[in-house]
Amino acid sequence: SDVCAIVQLQDITATRAMAAQLAHQASHDALTELINRHECEQRIAQAIKSVRIDRGAHALLFLDLDMFKVVNDSCGHAAGDALLKQTAALLAGMVRRHDSVARFGGDEFAVLLEHCTAEQALEIAHKLCHGVAASGFAWGDKHFDTGCSVGVAAIASPDTTVANVIKAADGACHAAKVLGRNRVYQFRPD
């Protein structure tokens, strides 16, 4: 009696590559390649969990471009997209290696600063604000002054929620806009 074996080999390289590509697309913004809002919310939840476990301090920055509507309306969507890409690259290049930069939608960005004191968060927020303002934006023969309003919210309470952190940072960003744009405002619970 002869022994027979049937062996079937299957190359799953393409399947794994497709799965990795789908996972990337689900967590990243297609235009800027930054993480998207959903992925940022997951990371904020992890930061809150970290506060509970090791009493760490983190911060969320919320940035809104001050000139986006002007660029988009006067030069078109291609120019607006180029401004968003430029801003995304600038922000990603100015933060610490372990920080997360996300596009929340439209002209809104968020930066999760992990293991960051309130003082460090303010320093980074001012650096980003000045960096965006210094970069400017050119489209064809038109040049635009750029700027952003930045809201800062600490993630230091283990009892907070993702929604409350985002609301605080967004509210601080709105206050920065109301106070004159191209500035930083820090949320305080009081």
Side-chain angles (χ1 to χ4, degrees), residues 67-126:
M67 291 299 291
F68 178 73
K69 186 167 175 28
V70 173
V71 169
N72 219 26
D73 290 349
S74 64
C75 298
H77 294 294
D81 287 352
L83 175 57
L84 292 173
K85 287 180 186 178
Q86 174 184 302
T87 303
L90 179 73
L91 296 175
M94 291 182 74
V95 297
R96 303 168 308 168
R97 191 173 58 238
H98 59 277
D99 295 330
S100 300
V101 181
R103 180 171 176 219
F104 255 48
D107 63 339
E108 297 174 332
F109 296 87
V111 181
L112 176 61
L113 304 171
E114 296 189 56
H115 306 291
C116 186
T117 66
E119 294 78 22
Q120 289 171 320
L122 270 177
E123 186 179 307
I124 293 169
H126 282 288

Side-chain angles (χ1 to χ4, degrees), residues 10-18:
Q10 183 177 1
D11 184 0
I12 60 169
T13 306
T15 305
R16 284 190 177 158
M18 179 77 72

Side-chain angles (χ1 to χ4, degrees), residues 14-91:
T15 305
R16 284 190 177 158
M18 179 77 72
Q21 182 182 4
L22 289 173
H24 179 82
Q25 289 172 345
S27 62
H28 287 74
D29 176 61
L31 178 67
T32 63
E33 285 298 312
L34 297 175
I35 62 170
N36 60 24
R37 180 183 183 127
H38 177 74
E39 178 66 20
C40 187
E41 288 173 347
Q42 298 299 313
R43 294 182 187 191
I44 294 168
Q46 289 300 317
I48 293 169
K49 200 177 286 185
S50 156
V51 172
R52 289 186 194 120
I53 295 168
D54 63 17
R55 301 270 185 236
H58 316 284
L60 181 68
L61 308 182
F62 205 81
L63 296 87
D64 188 291
L65 296 179
D66 292 332
M67 291 299 291
F68 178 73
K69 186 167 175 28
V70 173
V71 169
N72 219 26
D73 290 349
S74 64
C75 298
H77 294 294
D81 287 352
L83 175 57
L84 292 173
K85 287 180 186 178
Q86 174 184 302
T87 303
L90 179 73
L91 296 175

